[in-house]
Amino acid sequence: MKSIADLDDLQGKRVLVRSDLNVPLEGSTITDDGRIRASVPTIKALSEGGARVIVCAHLGRPKGSPEDKYSLAPVATRLGELLGRDVTFATDTVGESAQAAVESAADGDVVLLENLRFNPGETAKSADERAEFAGSLAGLADVFVSDGFGVVHREQASVFDVARLLPSAVGGLVETEVGVLRRLTTDPERPYAVVLGGAKVSDKLAVIDNLIQTADRLLIGGGMVFTFLKAQGHEVGKSLLESDQVDTVKGYLEQAQERGVEIVLPVDVVAATEFSADADHEVVGIDAIPSDRMGLDIGPESSALFAEKLADCRTVFWNGPMGAFEMAPYAAGTAAIAKALVDITADGALTVVGGGDSAAAVRQLGFTDDQFGHISTGGGASLEYLEGKDLPGLTVLDES
Ligand code: ADP
Ligand code: MG
């Protein structure tokens, strides 16, 4: 895999950079600009090296045609502020506006193209359709730099197909992210714990399969924990539950026991009458979840238990909040994990936070990025890496 330094002199070259600028928006206000900040160093380095930098990215999930609410226009403004220079915003991706912006770009200029997913070719299942769109993107540039870590696990036109059409290299952000994941998978310092939570239960079950081979401890909270509690015979009331995964989870619990991997589950939860900050809620033991309530956070005893299980760890990967942290009554469990990680980071442990909501949670709770070893910009991509899968956006760069 080539890095930017391995490419020929980029002075005056048109460099297409795939970044991950998929930030949360409320109206046109960016509520967490972490991914834009993370993208700045690569864009800045290329611009300072005299390249004509053409940034492309997606935002949200538009269905292949333009939609105002998914416009990258607010991101162009914020990117310009963070770069300290004007960013020319093209109001289409590969059309007249994009072509004009690229043609008039001088050395060092930065252009941001409109949302890639306004074009059906970006995420098309048909390789031909994707290749056609990738061809239009490639036509704007001389060189491709892949720096959107949040999408490297996707076989999409701007990630995968375009890398086959232009001389390509990996950007600094993806290099950093992959470097951290390598440290997690290649002889991690022990004890090595993985903390999993969040809402996407089935997404995260797959990674457990692989982690049972490598981690010493698995701490589980969030919405996915109720499938585990159910597998252990507890009633979980109205909590999130994937009934069809209960048997799979039973298998994981058995495997973990055979391999001596410690699985740490909550001993209490915050049980609420509904998914709302105003709902009546109380702390109950996991064997006493009322049938008309849902668990929306791990309880205080569990927070203390989880913190204790992390205190002596030298390596921790954390993906997924412990509760519905967006609502204050259910944020304490997530805060406890963040605090435990901050403490061991100060003692020299490697701590990695993955997942968009997990990253947003630690920032919302008042922690800063530098209190952790690394805050990943790609939850899905880092999980797939830890599952041991090949990431198409990386393997394609090995070919080029
Ligand atoms: P990440 O983006 O970090 O990978 P996910 O997207 O998987 O995390 O999950 C984040 C979401 O999970 C949050 O919006 C949070 O409200 C929700 N969540 C966490 N615990 C629960 C729970 N017990 N019940 C319902 N939702 C939960
Ligand atoms: Mg999420």
Side-chain angles (χ1 to χ4, degrees):
M1 206 156 47
K2 283 193 187 118
S3 56
I4 292 172
D6 301 323
L7 295 170
D8 295 337
D9 183 16
L10 294 175
Q11 173 75 39
K13 294 269 177 60
R14 299 169 303 162
V15 180
L16 180 71
V17 183
R18 177 48 158 118
S19 296
D20 176 9
L21 304 174
N22 189 23
V23 290
L25 282 177
E26 270 166 29
S28 59
T29 307
I30 298 163
T31 53
D32 179 5
D33 66 359
R35 282 178 169 161
I36 308 178
R37 286 177 183 277
S39 303
V40 161
T42 297
I43 296 169
K44 195 171 194 157
L46 290 166
S47 159
E48 284 172 356
R52 305 172 182 194
V53 190
I54 308 155
V55 184
C56 64
H58 77 282
L59 182 77
R61 293 173 183 266
K63 303 207 166 40
S65 59
E67 273 179 77
D68 278 352
K69 66 172 175 176
Y70 293 125
S71 173
L72 279 168
V75 172
T77 307
R78 186 75 190 116
L79 179 61
E81 287 164 9
L82 291 168
L83 283 169
R85 65 177 301 141
D86 281 344
V87 169
T88 308
F89 181 62
T91 55
D92 57 29
T93 319
V94 292
E96 279 172 23
S97 174
Q99 284 164 18
V102 171
E103 260 159 42
S104 59
D107 295 0
D109 280 356
V110 178
V111 173
L112 175 64
L113 306 178
E114 182 55 289
N115 196 336
L116 287 157
R117 293 189 187 171
F118 286 178
N119 306 270
E122 169 66 357
T123 56
K125 289 214 174 64
S126 143
D128 288 346
E129 236 181 284
R130 282 201 323 264
E132 194 192 328
F133 179 57
S136 306
L137 279 171
L140 295 170
D142 307 304
V143 173
F144 174 64
V145 170
S146 179
D147 207 34
F149 181 68
V151 287
V152 289
H153 59 314
R154 304 286 189 206
E155 208 171 270
Q156 295 175 345
S158 69
V159 181
F160 178 76
D161 304 82
V162 74
R164 294 181 148 169
L165 303 175
L166 291 173
S168 300
V170 69
L173 174 61
V174 172
E175 251 182 340
T176 303
E177 295 271 11
V178 172
V180 168
L181 289 169
R182 270 203 205 108
R183 286 177 67 192
L184 291 178
T185 46
T186 319
D187 203 13
E189 215 186 318
R190 298 182 183 278
Y192 169 29
V194 175
V195 188
L196 292 175
K200 295 179 245 162
V201 186
S202 28
D203 281 14
K204 294 183 187 180
L205 287 178
V207 75
I208 293 175
D209 217 21
N210 215 43
L211 289 172
I212 288 176
Q213 324 288 328
T214 53
D216 302 305
R217 280 175 209 156
L218 275 176
L219 283 61
I220 298 172
M224 69 185 290
V225 81
F226 298 99
T227 306
F228 280 78
L229 294 176
K230 186 79 181 176
Q232 289 193 322
H234 298 289
E235 289 310 322
V236 299
K238 292 196 295 175
S239 307
L240 276 186
L241 173 66
E242 285 198 18
S243 309
D244 54 344
Q245 300 290 346
V246 170
D247 284 338
T248 311
V249 165
K250 277 185 188 159
Y252 292 149
L253 290 170
E254 279 164 23
Q255 262 189 62
Q257 196 164 21
E258 279 163 24
R259 297 191 157 265
V261 175
E262 192 180 1
I263 298 217
V264 185
L265 299 179
V267 290
D268 57 355
V269 299
V270 180
T273 50
E274 54 186 308
F275 193 81
S276 147
D278 310 322
D280 187 37
H281 58 273
E282 61 181 342
V283 175
V284 298
I286 43 139
D287 48 5
I289 302 174
S291 61
D292 59 348
R293 288 185 180 237
M294 59 183 77
L296 291 182
D297 193 12
I298 59 172
E301 270 187 53
S302 311
S303 289
L305 171 69
F306 283 23
E308 183 196 313
K309 294 289 181 186
L310 293 170
D312 64 334
C313 287
R314 298 301 296 164
T315 307
V316 179
F317 175 73
W318 175 24
N319 179 294
M322 294 294 99
F325 72 93
E326 297 91 339
M327 299 182 277
Y330 319 116
T334 302
I337 299 294
K339 174 75 171 53
L341 261 54
V342 166
D343 288 347
I344 60 170
T345 309
D347 285 338
L350 171 64
T351 58
V352 181
V353 184
D357 292 293
S358 310
V362 300
R363 293 179 187 130
Q364 181 193 306
L365 292 164
F367 297 95
T368 54
D369 290 23
D370 59 3
Q371 290 179 289
F372 301 89
H374 180 68
I375 298 196
S376 175
T377 53
S382 49
L383 286 175
E384 289 203 10
Y385 188 102
L386 294 179
E387 277 168 35
K389 283 193 188 156
D390 275 340
L391 309 187
L394 297 180
T395 46
V396 73
L397 294 178
D398 288 329
E399 293 165 17
S400 103

